[in-house]
Amino acid sequence: MNKRNCIIGQSGGPTVAINASLAGIIQQAKKDGYDHIYGMINGIKGLLENTYMDLEEAVKNDDDLHDLKTSPAMYLGSCRYKLPDQSDDPVFEQLFHKFEELQITDFFYIGGNDSMDTVAKLSEYAKIMNSDIHFIGIPKTIDNDLMGTDHTPGYGSAAKYVASSMLEIAYDSSIYKLKSITIVEIMGRNAGWLTAASALARTAYSDAPDLIYLPEVPFDQEQFLDDIAKVFEKKRSVIIAVSEGIKNKDGDYLDQDSRYVKKDAFGHILHSGTGKVLETICFKRFKCKVRSIELNVLQRCAMHIASETDIEESFMIGSKAVHYAKDHSGVMVVIKRLSNDPYQSEAAVADVSQIANLEHKIPVNWINDAHNDITKELYDYIYPLIQGEVNVRYHNGIPSYINIRHLEK
Amino acid sequence: MNKRNCIIGQSGGPTVAINASLAGIIQQAKKDGYDHIYGMINGIKGLLENTYMDLEEAVKNDDDLHDLKTSPAMYLGSCRYKLPDQSDDPVFEQLFHKFEELQITDFFYIGGNDSMDTVAKLSEYAKIMNSDIHFIGIPKTIDNDLMGTDHTPGYGSAAKYVASSMLEIAYDSSIYKLKSITIVEIMGRNAGWLTAASALARTAYSDAPDLIYLPEVPFDQEQFLDDIAKVFEKKRSVIIAVSEGIKNKDGDYLDQDSRYVKKDAFGHILHSGTGKVLETICFKRFKCKVRSIELNVLQRCAMHIASETDIEESFMIGSKAVHYAKDHSGVMVVIKRLSNDPYQSEAAVADVSQIANLEHKIPVNWINDAHNDITKELYDYIYPLIQGEVNVRYHNGIPSYINIRHLEK
């Protein structure tokens, strides 16, 4: 029987679920008896520089696998590197030479839009060269903006972090008897999925967020101020979820608005962020306590509050990728939702060329008419994805995550 | 036998442990057979406006008690209200009239510096008036800056959040092969205890934070840049923990430095925060990727990652307060550390007039000579306080916290 060697890479921005997919691939590849399981360090860019590792050796037993599955960010490191459009570029030959050297039969790449572009180009090149290597993409992104899949691994955990943090911020904001506005800025430059997840913070005891602003519909400053005034008629503490990527009707990002561009004494432009811009606008109108909070990178790395549904699905997707590699190439493994209550999903494949470089945004009919909240359909879509808690181990009072010293080299 | 009625209030800024102390008082007061257990809503300011509640009715059973113990912020709401210095001010008579009306025998106030000032003044006034009411203070603050106690309830949980978040940020920052600086801004205007807790993020697999800057020692910008350059000699990703309250040698806060004060188009001064100021300084020197992250209010409200040691101690302190009320007044319940390994502590009392309005800062010999890290003594001091995880219940994918609708009125 011929040798079967696979190589796995991670690319793009981090999530807490991308290592679960890696763990899923490793476990299944071991079961399927691959001769070698390699990991590219820092994606294909790293591979071009000859940095890769033996994953069978690094992830020896079930304990290692659990630690990998429940560690945030990217065990293999990442790169932001886009392959050229011309298939006669020497980089393709270099990469395939590397594959030949390692006798690679299957190539797995876990990532977002750009990573799927890599999978598409490599599988195209393989066809041209009559290569037998199978190229499989595994999705991940907290932004949930990939086409072809019901949702993306990593989104559910980030959504759970956003909803839980929003709830805790609401409690924090409740204690004083004074008029206040709290603005929570959430990641998502073009797609509002993550900001929409803030609606999941609502409970019988807390209505926050009172208002939600998404990048899919134009942001109108006067309407925004009117919306707040209306909430103030009923309560004294207004909590607002806002996507970093909201734009005015001309399509300009809010923190590009020249009236709010800040410069330091050296003339450098300081991008203060959408939350800070809104903070100024609100204070000017309402003259009350205004605070803006940027959830920042914690929404994509807070493994300690990951969604069990997300982590298990991400693991499953990784394991299925090995299965699909037997007779597919140039595909991305996707998640199909079978039912919502009880929630059930399964894996499938989609042509990666139909997915790469496209953006999946919130359908406008899942945003309310006033453009300041989401509909029940969107709530029901997100709900199952944040369910369940992950058994993260603690050591010395902090979460115990896998060794990533190899990324320091 | 005479009636025994107590009233409890919360005051100052929120923490995740202040409701545990409240739960401890309620449980012990029930056991001790108090006739009524009242709660002031929004502290003594609320009481003056006649807003209070029956806590025996609100917290009926063990389930309610668990929910209260594991809910962030302040179940009773807060106020920022300082009693006047003159004991002939009519507000004292108003308050004592209220106490008489409710037949209060014991008064419990959970809070920080200002709240202990309230306890001191009320107990002084009681002496003048020959009143029998006992006034007991229960400490809380994430800042750990109260005198007379080994540490404050609320600090351990905030410290655990800071250390865990720092670790997750370190993993997030590890993935790219490029030179980068990550600055994490942590709360603490005058005391650096919480920023120091970032050192607890260090594991066998991660050195972050590489540098720590505290408000107890003067901040020197040139030294800061030299420190970073030195770290860059050994690694490409530098992670820095910085207290929001660092000051230059003249005692000025960094974000007050006129060279960095930003204004919007309307001329309003924008306090961008210490992290943003350092971001600009670093970018100017190193021309690499620089990101600043403000942990913001989540460090004081993220109940979902609270320290078990902190929550249990806060509960214990509340319960002991009821015990001390039998024969003490004008005291604060304090925590005495008995041993570090195994960690053991017990409650004691201290004269509240020796505590109010003072600030407990990090001793300078617990900061290294280079002023960019902490010593082992400080590490060992913090370590036991962040140990253990709290069993927070989840409902619908988010933490399940107690009903706080009464604060909306």
Side-chain angles (χ1 to χ4, degrees):
Chain A
M1 205 176 142
N2 287 338
K3 254 196 185 332
R4 283 171 71 213
N5 295 344
C6 68
I7 192 160
I8 314 166
Q10 298 174 321
S11 175
T15 79
V16 301
I18 189 165
N19 286 331
S21 292
L22 175 60
I25 299 174
I26 295 171
Q27 190 193 52
Q28 193 59 45
K30 279 187 179 184
K31 274 189 196 164
D32 286 8
Y34 276 79
D35 296 285
H36 285 286
I37 306 169
Y38 296 110
M40 310 169 221
I41 296 175
N42 295 112
I44 52 166
K45 192 150 188 287
L47 187 65
L48 285 167
E49 290 158 12
N50 227 15
T51 55
Y52 59 91
M53 65 193 290
D54 182 336
L55 285 172
E56 215 164 347
E57 199 185 332
V59 184
K60 279 196 182 69
N61 49 42
D62 284 352
D63 255 16
D64 292 346
L65 204 75
H66 178 273
D67 281 354
L68 178 62
K69 194 176 166 184
T70 59
S71 288
M74 286 157 135
Y75 181 67
L76 293 172
S78 181
C79 66
R80 291 218 183 265
Y81 179 75
K82 204 161 177 174
L83 282 171
D85 288 330
Q86 300 76 18
S87 59
D88 57 355
D89 190 287
V91 74
F92 287 98
E93 212 183 307
Q94 283 168 44
L95 279 169
F96 275 74
H97 180 70
K98 204 77 229 159
F99 298 151
E100 209 169 292
E101 215 178 276
L102 297 171
Q103 297 182 269
I104 298 300
T105 54
D106 302 286
F107 174 102
F108 300 104
Y109 217 45
I110 316 170
N113 276 316
D114 289 344
S115 313
M116 295 311 128
D117 180 75
T118 297
V119 174
K121 282 172 178 161
L122 289 176
S123 64
E124 275 307 307
Y125 187 81
K127 268 187 212 159
I128 296 168
M129 304 303 291
N130 272 321
S131 156
D132 283 340
I133 306 174
H134 291 196
F135 293 89
I136 308 286
I138 297 98
K140 73 83 210 157
T141 163
I142 60 163
D143 293 324
N144 198 38
D145 61 352
L146 280 181
M147 296 296 277
T149 183
D150 178 76
H151 56 277
T152 58
Y155 171 64
S157 292
K160 188 184 185 87
Y161 177 86
V162 165
S164 300
S165 298
M166 177 59 81
L167 178 69
E168 291 177 331
I169 290 167
Y171 272 64
D172 191 86
S173 302
S174 70
I175 65 162
Y176 292 116
K177 235 181 168 164
L178 54 84
K179 200 170 161 174
S180 70
I181 300 171
T182 306
I183 299 158
V184 183
E185 181 186 325
I186 298 160
M187 280 180 169
R189 207 71 185 153
N190 296 312
W193 298 105
L194 210 45
T195 305
S198 65
L200 281 286
R202 292 173 185 153
T203 70
Y205 306 147
S206 170
D207 304 323
D210 300 294
L211 299 163
I212 300 174
Y213 297 94
L214 303 166
E216 280 84 356
V217 287
F219 179 79
D220 181 314
Q221 185 178 315
E222 280 312 306
Q223 187 57 52
F224 168 72
L225 292 168
D226 285 355
D227 289 350
I228 295 172
K230 244 179 235 160
V231 179
F232 270 139
E233 286 170 15
K234 281 180 278 178
K235 54 196 291 201
R236 60 175 177 270
S237 168
V238 180
I239 300 181
I240 302 166
V242 61
S243 162
E244 60 172 337
I246 53 169
K247 304 167 202 67
N248 65 20
K249 66 176 166 29
D250 300 323
D252 297 326
Y253 288 114
L254 219 66
D255 64 351
Q256 280 175 338
D257 188 326
S258 65
R259 282 174 304 167
Y260 299 103
V261 163
K262 276 135 270 160
K263 293 182 183 184
D264 68 14
F266 310 105
H268 300 125
I269 288 178
L270 297 161
H271 282 288
S272 61
T274 300
K276 287 280 173 209
V277 171
L278 294 179
E279 192 181 309
T280 307
I281 292 171
C282 286
F283 183 74
K284 205 169 118 66
R285 168 71 67 96
F286 296 102
K287 305 281 183 223
C288 67
K289 188 181 171 188
V290 187
R291 184 196 290 275
S292 73
I293 299 166
E294 195 186 340
L295 292 188
N296 217 312
V297 299
L298 284 160
Q299 58 203 298
R300 70 181 190 204
C301 64
M303 182 73 217
H304 71 268
I305 191 167
S307 151
E308 187 189 26
T309 302
D310 181 34
I311 298 302
E312 291 306 328
E313 241 174 16
S314 303
F315 187 85
M316 179 271 284
I317 285 288
S319 143
K320 288 288 180 184
V322 179
H323 169 77
Y324 287 122
K326 284 173 192 151
D327 45 16
H328 288 82
S329 186
V331 295
M332 181 177 88
V333 186
V334 300
I335 301 171
K336 273 178 72 172
R337 187 183 304 230
L338 300 175
S339 68
N340 237 6
D341 190 14
Y343 174 70
Q344 285 181 303
S345 67
E346 65 175 21
V349 284
D351 184 347
V352 78
S353 66
Q354 307 289 310
I355 291 164
N357 307 313
L358 294 173
E359 260 183 336
H360 181 217
K361 296 183 185 181
I362 298 177
V364 176
N365 61 339
W366 279 6
I367 299 171
N368 74 341
D369 292 342
H371 289 183
N372 60 18
D373 208 336
I374 66 167
T375 65
K376 190 177 178 305
E377 286 82 359
L378 180 45
Y379 184 98
D380 291 345
Y381 164 87
I382 303 170
Y383 180 83
L385 311 181
I386 72 162
Q387 301 307 309
E389 290 70 55
V390 173
N391 172 27
V392 170
R393 289 180 204 170
Y394 281 75
H395 182 62
N396 292 333
I398 57 171
S400 171
Y401 296 138
I402 201 164
N403 191 348
I404 50 164
R405 288 280 185 206
H406 55 277
L407 298 180
E408 285 175 10
K409 281 169 201 158
Chain B
M1 204 176 140
N2 287 337
K3 254 196 186 332
R4 284 171 69 214
N5 295 343
C6 68
I7 191 158
I8 315 166
Q10 298 174 320
S11 175
T15 79
V16 302
I18 189 167
N19 286 331
S21 292
L22 175 59
I25 300 173
I26 295 172
Q27 192 194 50
Q28 193 59 45
K30 280 186 178 183
K31 275 189 194 163
D32 285 7
Y34 276 79
D35 296 284
H36 286 285
I37 307 169
Y38 296 109
M40 312 169 221
I41 296 176
N42 295 112
I44 52 166
K45 192 150 187 289
L47 187 64
L48 285 166
E49 290 157 12
N50 227 16
T51 55
Y52 58 90
M53 66 193 291
D54 181 336
L55 285 171
E56 214 164 347
E57 199 187 331
V59 185
K60 280 197 184 67
N61 49 41
D62 284 353
D63 255 17
D64 291 346
L65 205 74
H66 179 273
D67 281 356
L68 178 62
K69 193 177 166 184
T70 58
S71 288
M74 286 156 135
Y75 181 67
L76 292 173
S78 182
C79 66
R80 290 218 183 266
Y81 179 75
K82 205 160 176 172
L83 282 171
D85 288 330
Q86 301 75 20
S87 60
D88 57 354
D89 191 287
V91 73
F92 287 98
E93 212 184 307
Q94 282 167 45
L95 279 169
F96 275 75
H97 180 70
K98 204 77 229 157
F99 298 151
E100 208 170 295
E101 214 178 278
L102 296 171
Q103 296 181 271
I104 298 301
T105 56
D106 303 285
F107 175 102
F108 300 104
Y109 216 46
I110 316 170
N113 276 315
D114 290 345
S115 312
M116 294 313 126
D117 180 73
T118 298
V119 173
K121 283 173 178 160
L122 290 177
S123 63
E124 274 308 307
Y125 187 82
K127 267 187 212 160
I128 297 168
M129 303 302 292
N130 272 321
S131 157
D132 284 340
I133 306 174
H134 292 195
F135 293 88
I136 308 286
I138 296 99
K140 72 84 209 157
T141 163
I142 60 163
D143 293 324
N144 198 38
D145 61 352
L146 280 182
M147 297 297 276
T149 183
D150 178 78
H151 57 277
T152 58
Y155 171 64
S157 293
K160 188 184 184 88
Y161 177 86
V162 166
S164 301
S165 298
M166 177 58 82
L167 178 70
E168 292 177 332
I169 289 168
Y171 272 64
D172 190 87
S173 302
S174 70
I175 66 164
Y176 293 116
K177 235 183 169 162
L178 54 84
K179 201 169 159 174
S180 71
I181 300 170
T182 306
I183 299 158
V184 183
E185 182 187 325
I186 299 161
M187 280 182 170
R189 207 70 184 153
N190 296 312
W193 298 106
L194 211 45
T195 304
S198 64
L200 282 285
R202 292 173 185 153
T203 71
Y205 306 147
S206 170
D207 305 323
D210 300 294
L211 299 163
I212 300 175
Y213 297 94
L214 303 167
E216 280 85 354
V217 288
F219 179 80
D220 181 314
Q221 185 178 313
E222 279 313 305
Q223 189 57 53
F224 168 72
L225 292 168
D226 286 353
D227 289 349
I228 295 172
K230 245 179 234 159
V231 180
F232 271 140
E233 285 170 16
K234 282 180 276 177
K235 54 197 289 199
R236 60 176 178 271
S237 168
V238 180
I239 299 181
I240 302 166
V242 61
S243 161
E244 60 171 339
I246 54 169
K247 302 166 203 70
N248 66 22
K249 65 175 167 30
D250 300 324
D252 297 326
Y253 289 113
L254 220 68
D255 63 351
Q256 279 174 338
D257 188 325
S258 63
R259 282 174 304 169
Y260 298 105
V261 162
K262 277 136 265 158
K263 294 182 183 186
D264 68 14
F266 310 105
H268 299 125
I269 288 178
L270 297 160
H271 283 287
S272 59
T274 300
K276 287 280 173 207
V277 171
L278 294 179
E279 192 181 308
T280 306
I281 292 172
C282 286
F283 182 75
K284 206 171 120 66
R285 168 71 66 96
F286 296 103
K287 304 281 184 225
C288 66
K289 187 181 171 188
V290 187
R291 185 197 289 275
S292 73
I293 299 166
E294 196 187 341
L295 292 187
N296 217 311
V297 299
L298 285 160
Q299 59 203 296
R300 70 181 189 204
C301 65
M303 181 74 218
H304 71 268
I305 191 166
S307 151
E308 187 190 26
T309 302
D310 182 34
I311 297 301
E312 291 305 329
E313 240 174 14
S314 303
F315 187 84
M316 180 271 285
I317 285 288
S319 142
K320 288 288 181 181
V322 180
H323 169 78
Y324 287 121
K326 282 173 194 151
D327 45 17
H328 288 82
S329 186
V331 296
M332 182 177 89
V333 187
V334 301
I335 301 171
K336 273 178 73 173
R337 186 183 304 231
L338 299 176
S339 69
N340 236 7
D341 189 15
Y343 174 71
Q344 285 182 303
S345 67
E346 65 174 21
V349 284
D351 184 347
V352 78
S353 66
Q354 306 288 311
I355 292 163
N357 307 311
L358 295 172
E359 261 183 334
H360 182 217
K361 297 183 185 181
I362 298 178
V364 175
N365 61 338
W366 279 7
I367 299 171
N368 73 343
D369 292 341
H371 289 184
N372 59 19
D373 208 336
I374 66 166
T375 65
K376 189 177 178 305
E377 286 82 359
L378 181 44
Y379 184 98
D380 292 344
Y381 164 86
I382 304 169
Y383 179 84
L385 312 181
I386 72 162
Q387 301 307 309
E389 289 70 55
V390 174
N391 172 27
V392 170
R393 290 179 202 169
Y394 281 75
H395 182 62
N396 292 332
I398 57 171
S400 171
Y401 295 138
I402 201 165
N403 191 347
I404 50 163
R405 288 280 185 204
H406 54 277
L407 298 180
E408 286 175 9
K409 282 170 202 160

